Amino acid sequence: VNSWAAMYVIGTCVAVALVALAAYTLAARRRLELRAARDGQLWKRAYHLGSELASGRNVERNTADLRDMIASRDRALVVATAVAVAVRQQPDDVDAALYRAVNRSALPSQLSAQLETRDVNRRIEVLELAEVLRLHDLFAAAAVMTRDDDPGVVRAACDALVALDPASGLGVLIGLAGKHESWIIDSLGRAAHRIGTSGNGAIPLGREKWRNVPLLAQRAINESATFDAATVADAVSVLIGSLDNVSASVRLAAVNALAGSVESHPQAQLALAAALGSTDRMVRFATAAALSDTVIGQSILRSAAAGGDGSDAARIAAEILWTRDPLSRPAGAVAS
Amino acid sequence: VIRALLFGFAAFCCCFTIAQSATLLAYGALSGRLLRDHRAGRRPVALAKVATDPAMPGVSIVMPAYNEELVIVHTTVSALAQDYPRVEVIVVNDGSKDATLQVLIDHFDLEVYEHDPPAGPIATEPVRAVYRSRREPRIVVVDKAPSGAKADGSNAGINVASHPWVVVMDADEFMERDTISRCMVEVSRSPDRVLAIGGSLLPANDIVIDGSDIVERHVPGNYWVGCQLIEYLTAFLVARPGLARIAAMPIVSGGFGVFRRDAVIDVDGYRHGHLGEDMDMCLRLQRHEAERGQPYAVVQVPESLCWTEFPSTREVLRRQRIRWHRGLRSIITDHGSMIGRRRYGTVGSVGVGSLLLFEWVGPVLEAVGWAVLAVMLAAGWASPTGVLAVLLVTQLFGMITTMLGVTMMTKYVRVYRTRGDVVRLLGWSVAVNWGYRQLTLWWRIRSMFGGASGWGEMPRAGFRTAATSSAT
């Protein structure tokens, strides 16, 4: 009798829980609908402002409006996210007025507090915002995050650093290259390419960057970390080393990354020419494919194909290129 | 003595059934955080990045099709409308007897690109021809000899895929615009670890589409479809996110799954003649990586949605469930050795272990337990009120787990938003435990003792379009 009585008690409790869960579900729906309606309006306004600023329209008025919207602590994240999406979807270059507006607002200080949270996804979101909106005040915090335990946070932090200051970002990525992960090599290649295209590897430092230097130095001492700027030559050296990595994905990422610097760096040209003779078939063909995209790369392919010991990949790539584009056919090829 | 033994056994079965529900509740507790991170409206910056970054890896969407003339164009259009920047759509016509191929040729203006192409890295039935569209370069149609199995069609598609990631899905499904992007956010965050990604499947029986958009979503009114919806919500929003959080995912649904192509080729693709080919693929991929000592992750992205036509009649559903349970038997035979082996980690002990315990042994124990209670009732060894109390308690626990799926959907994924839809979902979450669950239990028991085998055919109703809907 006692066991049946216990069963009744348990049954009653479970039934009450069931009814409570149903009521909670309905209440949650109502609450979320109200919040979605409120945030939806805010999102639309912020997105519109972001699009306007990114295109350089009505800068003064829009800057003031954006600052007002960000000033409210509970709305800052929604506004920043909407502006960041607008920036991402901007087809042309983003007007510097947008970066000035967000950097001078309360957003950096509000977001830096969010970086302290234990929620990994929240930290990644904030780092993504720092990357897209170029929030220079978060540079030092992002540098520290490159040593986080979570690989997603590390990646987001590296992307943010490369966006905020490519040379420092390059230095951090070179330091991480020993982790044998393909995304590091991939990011390294992109950062090197970006620095390479900006001229001589010298990156002009903005005033925002200078503001962070003392903080950066202090952290470097406290945490035995160095965030020294690196040159493209350093990056290319690391990429060359990665061509012999045990991981196939890292080797392929290195080939693609070096291809990005092939027009500006003789080191990259030499490395890719050598990779055409690699013992790894996949690396040979990936190198040939990457080289076929550029004029310099095509000339490397021609040299390799013409040489008596040219690799199979170079020969096939050269044949395909000459067949498709008669203008690039070397002299004498028609006669032969 | 017999009475005491029967009483003990019935009590054990009752506790086992409650433990099964309690385990689901534990998965639900684990999945709460994952769902919070993935909730609707979150990750817009990451999504915008993935959708605009030309450096993201390409994705080949592979759709094996057999007699899908009613839906194939809609499915292909929804795949092409993905907001992910680098997408290729590969439709594999697996010897259809209807006009599937002709419909594709007419609609997308296809021409033969290659006759009798060379064999790919995975062995398949011969491919007759590869078609390409004159006006949409992202479409590839593979016409191959019939194999009678989805595995062969999937393998043929994976062979011709030109991107490093492949999505394997059914040809009767409709994707949201951001289905692929949401999965690829996971890849962008951890490209070297992610091995496979699963999304969520929902019923397309009561949606209305317009071109590549879904313009109306309603909770189904059909009893069979409504009950299946609750089952799917419990699986995709309660169980699998929880399992994914403890790295114990034993399955990425065959209806929609994203895989690293090189890993799939390494394990020789899907296995022919396997009725649980999706679970088999997921477990073989994980075994392969574990045996190589590589770190890997199988991820569940609950908000990545794919709509598919659910069986709407008892007979079709019965055949499907019998096939699934036979597939489960093959899985346990092939991968049962993973249980308790440290090398395979939680996916072996918890993932495959829970399949064995709750999906294979569970139905038997539950059925036998009810039979024993019935015998005791008939013999006068148990009071009717006592049996009723046991029934109520086990059913109430079952109802809480099914209702939890509805709560997760309402709070995080938010597909069905109107009050009426949520109330109807709550109603289905109660109804599914009275009749439907017992019937599927019976089908599972029967599948252990023979009966029809093979894939069988599911008659398609096709998608409801805005034009047909307004005409109706």
Side-chain angles (χ1 to χ4, degrees):
Chain A
V1 171
N2 285 342
S3 61
W4 296 134
M7 198 71 91
Y8 284 128
V9 172
I10 293 169
T12 309
C13 292
V14 177
V16 169
L18 193 67
V19 173
L21 190 59
Y24 173 77
T25 306
L26 287 168
R29 188 207 72 85
R30 173 82 182 140
R31 199 175 61 243
L32 287 167
E33 284 300 313
L34 289 174
R35 189 189 294 172
R38 189 194 64 193
D39 286 355
Q41 293 297 324
L42 187 64
W43 174 281
K44 276 183 195 165
R45 266 191 67 206
Y47 182 85
H48 177 70
L49 276 181
S51 303
E52 291 265 296
L53 273 171
S55 313
R57 290 194 291 268
N58 302 324
V59 171
E60 283 187 17
R61 201 188 68 206
N62 287 331
T63 301
D65 287 352
L66 192 64
R67 276 194 212 165
D68 289 345
M69 288 172 81
I70 289 172
S72 166
R73 187 176 290 271
D74 61 329
R75 301 194 305 181
L77 202 63
V78 177
V79 174
T81 307
V83 174
V85 171
V87 169
R88 277 273 179 218
Q89 291 175 347
Q90 175 77 6
D92 308 314
D93 286 343
V94 175
D95 195 281
L98 184 136
Y99 298 129
R100 277 199 302 274
V102 289
N103 273 292
R104 288 175 189 169
S105 72
L107 187 65
S109 62
Q110 293 191 3
L111 289 187
S112 64
Q114 305 254 10
L115 276 174
E116 305 294 325
T117 172
R118 287 176 62 194
D119 182 348
V120 168
N121 280 283
R122 175 67 77 212
R123 277 186 281 155
I124 292 176
E125 280 172 3
V126 172
L127 288 166
E128 283 169 347
L129 289 172
E131 177 199 348
V132 178
L133 300 176
R134 308 277 163 87
L135 301 174
H136 290 276
D137 281 356
L138 298 184
F139 182 88
V144 174
M145 293 279 171
T146 58
R147 312 175 89 200
D148 199 277
D149 292 333
D150 186 273
V153 174
V154 175
R155 180 164 199 190
C158 286
D159 286 348
L161 284 191
V162 170
L164 294 172
D165 177 11
S168 296
L170 208 61
V172 172
L173 285 168
I174 288 171
L176 292 172
K179 282 189 166 183
H180 308 305
E181 295 206 23
S182 65
W183 71 264
I184 297 172
I185 301 302
D186 188 47
S187 300
L188 202 56
R190 283 204 253 176
H193 177 67
R194 202 171 145 198
I195 294 176
T197 50
S198 71
N200 298 328
I203 300 292
L205 290 175
R207 256 184 297 178
E208 296 88 347
K209 172 72 172 66
W210 287 115
R211 276 215 306 267
N212 286 299
V213 170
L215 182 60
L216 203 62
Q218 189 190 354
R219 281 187 187 275
I221 293 164
N222 290 346
E223 299 171 21
S224 308
T226 52
F227 301 114
D228 290 341
T231 64
V232 177
D234 298 331
V236 172
S237 302
V238 171
L239 294 178
I240 292 169
S242 301
L243 283 172
D244 294 322
N245 197 286
V246 287
S247 161
S249 54
V250 170
R251 291 198 298 274
L252 282 180
V255 168
N256 289 329
L258 280 168
S261 300
V262 75
E263 291 194 301
S264 52
H265 277 267
Q267 278 175 300
Q269 294 163 14
L270 283 168
L272 288 176
L276 281 171
S278 163
T279 52
D280 182 350
R281 188 169 180 270
M282 192 174 64
V283 167
R284 288 202 304 275
F285 278 88
T287 307
L291 285 173
S292 64
D293 287 342
T294 57
V295 176
I296 291 173
Q298 288 184 9
S299 67
I300 293 171
L301 281 173
R302 276 195 213 119
S303 311
D309 54 348
S311 81
D312 51 353
R315 274 201 308 276
I316 291 170
E319 277 173 26
I320 292 168
L321 284 170
W322 296 341
T323 311
R324 283 187 184 165
D325 182 9
L327 291 176
S328 66
R329 197 174 294 171
V334 175
S336 65
Chain B
V1 173
I2 292 172
R3 184 182 169 179
L5 280 174
L6 287 178
F7 183 83
F9 185 75
F12 171 73
C13 291
C14 175
C15 291
F16 185 88
T17 308
I18 291 173
Q20 201 167 347
S21 299
T23 308
L24 261 178
L25 290 176
Y27 288 152
L30 282 171
S31 69
R33 195 169 147 196
L34 187 141
L35 284 161
R36 202 168 60 234
D37 294 337
H38 285 261
R39 69 174 177 260
R42 196 150 182 193
R43 303 184 160 192
V45 182
L47 275 171
K49 180 181 181 179
V50 162
T52 53
D53 187 355
M56 282 298 294
V59 175
S60 299
I61 302 172
V62 175
M63 297 188 289
Y66 179 73
N67 293 349
E68 304 283 8
E69 63 178 3
L70 277 179
V71 290
I72 193 66
V73 169
H74 294 302
T75 309
T76 312
V77 165
S78 89
L80 288 169
Q82 290 297 298
D83 61 10
Y84 192 72
R86 294 175 65 196
V87 163
E88 167 191 56
V89 181
I90 300 167
V91 184
V92 182
N93 178 44
D94 196 5
S96 296
K97 290 174 187 160
D98 68 357
T100 301
L101 182 62
Q102 196 55 47
V103 165
L104 285 167
I105 289 172
D106 294 345
H107 194 273
F108 294 106
D109 196 13
L110 302 177
E111 62 178 350
V112 175
Y113 177 75
E114 200 174 12
H115 276 296
D116 302 322
I122 308 172
T124 65
E125 292 291 322
V127 172
R128 295 168 186 149
V130 175
Y131 294 77
R132 281 190 176 272
S133 169
R134 290 189 184 92
R135 55 188 172 80
E136 175 49 87
R138 295 177 297 162
I139 294 183
V140 179
V141 175
V142 177
D143 183 31
K144 65 178 279 291
S147 62
K150 190 187 158 194
D152 200 61
S154 304
N155 288 341
I158 292 164
N159 277 342
V160 301
S162 58
H163 290 312
W165 288 86
V166 287
V167 173
V168 181
M169 59 183 282
D170 291 341
D172 62 333
E173 290 174 356
F174 202 90
M175 285 188 280
E176 301 273 353
R177 276 178 185 269
D178 59 0
T179 302
I180 306 275
S181 297
R182 287 191 179 275
C183 290
M184 294 308 282
V185 166
E186 298 298 322
V187 175
S188 78
R189 288 188 174 176
S190 197
D192 294 303
R193 285 168 202 269
V194 176
L195 187 63
I197 307 163
S200 298
L201 292 175
L202 291 169
N205 304 52
D206 286 76
I207 63 169
V208 178
I209 60 171
D210 186 6
S212 56
D213 292 314
I214 300 172
V215 289
E216 284 180 41
R217 303 167 175 81
H218 297 295
V219 172
N222 179 296
Y223 174 76
W224 303 108
V225 181
C227 291
Q228 285 174 82
L229 170 58
I230 297 299
E231 272 187 320
Y232 277 59
L233 289 180
T234 312
F236 288 112
L237 304 184
V238 179
R240 291 193 195 172
L243 286 166
R245 273 206 65 203
I246 54 171
M249 275 271 281
I251 181 171
V252 166
S253 174
F256 178 81
V258 186
F259 301 94
R260 225 174 60 207
R261 181 172 178 262
D262 62 332
V264 175
I265 290 172
D266 279 349
V267 299
D268 294 326
Y270 287 92
R271 271 205 288 191
H272 291 234
H274 205 295
L275 289 174
E277 90 288 343
D278 47 0
M279 213 184 294
D280 176 64
M281 165 60 77
C282 184
L283 288 172
R284 278 192 298 130
L285 282 173
Q286 294 185 73
R287 283 183 91 141
H288 183 68
E289 295 296 305
E291 283 161 12
R292 289 197 316 160
Q294 293 289 320
Y296 66 87
V298 176
V299 187
Q300 174 73 13
V301 183
E303 79 281 18
S304 178
L305 304 176
C306 209
W307 301 80
T308 184
E309 196 177 329
F310 284 9
S312 56
T313 62
R314 185 176 173 277
E315 180 52 28
V316 178
L317 181 66
R318 186 185 68 83
R319 282 207 306 266
Q320 185 198 54
R321 292 310 157 99
I322 288 175
R323 190 179 75 235
W324 283 5
H325 210 63
R326 293 243 172 90
L328 180 68
R329 181 170 62 192
S330 311
I331 291 295
I332 286 166
T333 311
D334 296 343
H335 300 286
S337 59
M338 289 172 76
I339 299 172
R341 302 267 296 272
R342 182 179 285 185
R343 178 197 274 182
Y344 301 118
T346 43
V347 71
S349 299
V350 180
V352 183
S354 59
L355 284 179
L356 173 69
L357 203 61
F358 296 132
E359 301 293 330
W360 187 250
V361 179
V364 179
L365 278 183
E366 195 176 338
V368 175
W370 288 122
V372 167
L373 272 181
V375 168
M376 289 177 72
L377 192 64
W381 292 343
S383 69
T385 46
V387 173
L388 191 65
V390 172
L391 180 71
L392 273 175
V393 169
T394 51
Q395 293 297 84
L396 281 169
F397 267 102
M399 279 188 269
I400 283 192
T401 55
T402 49
M403 200 174 277
L404 192 63
V406 178
T407 308
M408 297 292 197
M409 194 287 299
T410 309
K411 207 166 169 213
Y412 299 117
V413 182
R414 305 184 65 208
V415 180
Y416 303 109
R417 294 190 171 194
T418 66
R419 190 161 186 258
D421 276 337
V422 175
V423 169
R424 196 185 283 189
L425 273 177
L426 290 171
W428 284 131
S429 72
V430 173
V432 74
N433 291 283
W434 302 93
Y436 178 86
R437 203 161 72 89
Q438 289 73 21
L439 193 61
T440 53
L441 185 78
W442 169 239
W443 289 336
R444 285 198 273 179
I445 303 279
R446 273 194 61 190
S447 76
M448 295 176 181
F449 304 103
S453 64
W455 282 79
E457 282 187 35
M458 178 177 147
R460 301 269 182 238
F463 297 116
R464 278 170 65 200
T465 60
T468 56
S469 189
S470 59
T472 310

